[in-house]
Amino acid sequence: MGRIIAFDIGDKRIGIAISDPFGDMALPLETYWRKNLKKDVEYLVNLAKSKDAETIVCGLPVNFDGSVSEQTQKTEFFISELKKATDIEIVTADERFTTKEARRLLLEADMRRDKRKDVIDKIAASYILEDYLAKIKNKGE
């Protein structure tokens, strides 16, 4: 099984996480600060290729009740641009509670606010990836 990479796509930053070589764990990788659509897509596709990713999991932000928001539409557009730029399989995953969960973790760790901004998105991406890996494992059992 190849690696799986996950993106938590925001307006300013994209959190990135990657699976370990065995697909057991989600590891926070980096926070990418967005520049423009073309550069963002190019960077993420090249990163996925350099990590030998066979699947890209993109968090899809939906409202608490599961309905579509403006952010959902922005993210779906970005994902469609990613799909045009690569032949790597791209799937989406519900990310409803990931950023909230990451924020809670960092507050419990008593991390300073300015430092949290640098890590919150990659931790949220690791939650998205963890959920995805768990679903794959459950299907395989």
Side-chain angles (χ1 to χ4, degrees), residues 42-56:
E42 197 174 281
Y43 180 82
L44 296 177
V45 167
N46 288 336
L47 180 65
K49 286 179 181 171
S50 75
K51 298 294 182 186
D52 294 321
E54 70 176 21
T55 305
I56 296 170

Side-chain angles (χ1 to χ4, degrees), residues 76-132:
E76 285 173 330
F77 173 75
F78 188 87
I79 293 168
S80 73
E81 293 301 303
L82 268 180
K83 286 180 177 177
K84 290 177 197 171
T86 186
D87 54 0
I88 299 171
E89 177 190 25
I90 298 178
V91 298
T92 58
D94 184 341
E95 68 158 57
R96 252 177 277 192
F97 304 107
T98 55
T99 303
K100 194 178 289 181
E101 206 43 44
R103 186 173 292 118
R104 187 187 59 75
L105 177 79
L106 296 175
L107 286 171
E108 282 178 9
D110 205 24
M111 186 174 281
R112 287 194 345 258
R113 185 177 191 168
D114 57 331
K115 193 88 175 104
R116 280 198 308 258
K117 201 182 281 190
D118 290 334
V119 297
I120 193 163
D121 299 294
K122 66 182 175 183
I123 291 174
S126 72
Y127 282 130
I128 291 166
L129 184 52
E130 251 173 40
D131 287 348
Y132 182 78

